[in-house]
Amino acid sequence: MHRLDDEYEALRATVEEFARDVVAPVIGDYYERCEFPYDIVRRMGRMGLFGLPIPEEHGGMGGDYFALCLALEELARVDSSVAITLEAAVSLGAMPLHRYGTPEQKAEWLPRLASGEVLGAFGLTEPGGGSDVPGGMRTMAVLDGDEWVINGSKAFITNSGTDLTGFVAVAAITGRREREDGTTAPEISTIIVPSGTPGFTVSKKYSKVGWSASDTRELSFSDCRVPAANLLGERGRGYAQFLRTLDEGRVAIAALSVGLAQGCVDESLRYAKERHAFGVPIARYQAIQFKIADMETRAHTARLAYYHAAEKMLAGEPFKKEAAIAKLVASDAAMDNARDATQVFGGYGFMNEFPVGRFYRDAKILEIGEGTSEVQRILIARQLGLPA
């Protein structure tokens, strides 16, 4: 999948134009105000971006996950806040419902998710949990008659407190199961909690280093009651289901990372031709040329990695290792390119009014979210057969 066919290329070009003409001119102001860009998000909804991998029968575009990745890359070339809003809404919000929801749940939520009318969120990470999701989970859900009663908290949840947020799918311990060795392990299930449900509290937005125009919050649940029918997927399979979601999400985050890395190349090329030092454009200096060449090499290599992972995913082949490689390589490329682009810009690269300043602030989280770089290395090692 190294050459895009006409349909993919048309989508890529459309999103590229939207990002350049609609997002780029205004997103810096949203970013500095730490304000969610509702107008941009609604326009993305009208374009069908939130429904790219959702079947037409549920109001989507009937495309695939690679189409979503192409859109994420082009958006992230100019801004990662907008890109992560789309990624989380589709990968973490809509796709679990598409894969595991009941017909009733799909009918209620998918058309609105696909149109961007509402955003979905996924509540997995907890304040003390980090990468140890099963061992660190404390949120509990107890079945009381025909209702789940949820108590606990979640941290770093994207799209959880916007005016468009429709629900958060919450991972919670719903019991314990016995292992073969006689010990027990927590039974984790996923439950849909609509926004505004009594007992469900959304905290104020975090003050973040980057992704300042996206919505990220801590959530708490205190005797929060929802119908038993809000169980998403099979009871006790919530974590296993989310592992599949994470594998797909890593390909999407890799695409977003490539977009940021390529955006650094775009901005550095433009600036190097305009900026003069000692009487000539700095693009004439070999030190600058080598730096930009290295940046382009990283972006190109990372793009090939996520294309390969997506190709295996769409073919129905195992892709866990390839997804981890793509996420690791691409997030490294984003971080390295952001640093080098800032160096090319010199003092102006340290100013938030320039895109590379935002890129630098946005890049670090890509080595942390949806599995840290250390977790990716563990996954790659396990897939190679190395012992746990």
Side-chain angles (χ1 to χ4, degrees), residues 46-327:
R46 291 194 293 271
M47 290 174 65
L49 299 187
F50 290 96
L52 279 172
I54 304 300
E56 293 180 11
E57 64 189 275
H58 295 302
M61 300 293 287
D64 56 33
Y65 209 84
F66 183 61
L68 171 67
C69 290
L70 291 175
L72 291 171
E73 180 182 344
E74 292 304 324
L75 289 170
R77 283 177 72 172
V78 301
D79 180 69
S80 292
S81 293
V82 170
I84 194 59
T85 297
L86 176 63
E87 192 279 335
V90 180
S91 177
L92 304 181
M95 291 306 288
L97 260 167
H98 167 52
R99 295 201 183 282
Y100 309 116
T102 65
E104 293 77 16
Q105 290 169 346
K106 292 180 181 180
E108 180 180 2
W109 292 110
L110 276 184
R112 289 188 287 163
L113 292 168
S115 69
E117 177 188 341
V118 302
L119 302 178
F122 200 102
L124 180 69
T125 304
E126 301 201 358
S131 298
D132 181 16
V133 173
M137 188 170 294
R138 298 292 180 267
T139 298
M140 305 284 294
V142 177
L143 198 56
D144 180 21
D146 59 355
E147 290 184 319
W148 290 105
V149 183
I150 306 171
N151 286 279
S153 60
K154 299 293 178 180
F156 314 128
I157 309 305
T158 304
N159 292 342
S160 57
T162 75
D163 294 344
L164 302 175
T165 303
F167 68 86
V168 177
V170 179
I173 297 173
T174 52
R176 299 195 69 84
R177 56 180 176 80
E178 188 171 342
R179 295 180 171 137
E180 293 182 359
D181 61 3
T183 61
T184 62
E187 171 194 88
I188 297 175
S189 306
T190 305
I191 301 167
I192 299 170
V193 181
S195 299
T197 301
F200 173 23
T201 302
V202 180
S203 300
K204 68 178 183 178
K205 292 187 294 185
Y206 290 109
S207 175
K208 297 175 293 187
V209 171
W211 286 358
S212 296
S214 71
D215 181 83
T216 318
R217 303 176 189 249
E218 186 167 323
L219 314 176
S220 62
F221 305 88
S222 178
D223 291 333
C224 177
R225 290 178 173 268
V226 297
N230 282 25
L231 179 71
L232 178 58
E234 183 182 341
R235 177 171 177 170
R237 295 285 298 168
Y239 185 59
Q241 292 165 358
F242 193 70
L243 289 178
R244 166 63 189 265
T245 301
L246 275 180
D247 286 339
E248 293 179 345
R250 284 167 183 146
V251 182
I253 292 295
L256 191 156
S257 301
V258 169
L260 190 153
Q262 192 65 57
C264 289
V265 178
D266 298 341
E267 293 296 325
S268 296
L269 279 171
R270 180 190 57 76
Y271 185 76
K273 294 173 184 177
E274 296 175 354
R275 173 80 162 93
H276 284 65
F278 305 103
V280 297
I282 63 172
R284 293 276 298 274
Y285 295 111
Q286 196 175 66
I288 298 296
Q289 293 178 2
F290 280 10
K291 199 173 289 292
I292 295 176
D294 285 344
M295 293 162 62
E296 174 69 10
T297 299
R298 294 185 197 113
H300 177 78
T301 303
R303 182 178 296 107
L304 294 179
Y306 100 70
Y307 275 26
H308 179 57
E311 187 173 32
K312 297 199 73 171
M313 175 175 63
L314 296 184
E317 301 173 6
F319 67 99
K320 183 181 290 289
K321 181 182 72 174
E322 289 75 16
I325 290 172
K327 203 270 186 182

